[in-house]
């Protein structure tokens, strides 16, 4: 799995989480600053391992 950080057509920075098979698992909102998008990636990387799974089915 990897994070791809890119600039969209509107000039905002976004990232997506891509599985090893190339499927996009999640995509971010737009950020005006690249550093803000990178900070969001860093937060996800540090917090996701301890995230709870809530089954609302």
């Amino acid at each position: 799995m990897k994070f791809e950080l890119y600039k969209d057509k509107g000039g905002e920075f976004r990232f997506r989480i891509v599985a090893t098979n190339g499927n996009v698992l999640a995509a971010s909102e737009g950020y005006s600053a690249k550093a803000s998008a990178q900070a969001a990636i860093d937060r996800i990387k540090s917090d996701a391992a301890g995230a709870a799974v809530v089954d609302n089915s």
Side-chain angles (χ1 to χ4, degrees):
M1 192 170 347
K2 64 183 175 182
F3 287 86
E4 292 181 347
L5 181 58
Y6 63 97
K7 200 170 193 178
D8 68 16
K9 292 178 183 177
E12 291 188 312
F13 293 94
R14 296 176 181 269
F15 64 87
R16 54 186 159 236
I17 302 171
V18 181
T20 54
N21 65 2
N23 288 340
V24 175
L25 303 175
S28 75
E29 62 182 310
Y31 296 88
S32 57
K34 186 176 183 178
S36 297
Q38 184 63 58
I41 291 170
D42 294 342
R43 280 192 308 277
I44 292 168
K45 288 170 72 174
S46 70
D47 296 346
V53 175
V54 178
D55 184 353
N56 290 323
S57 57

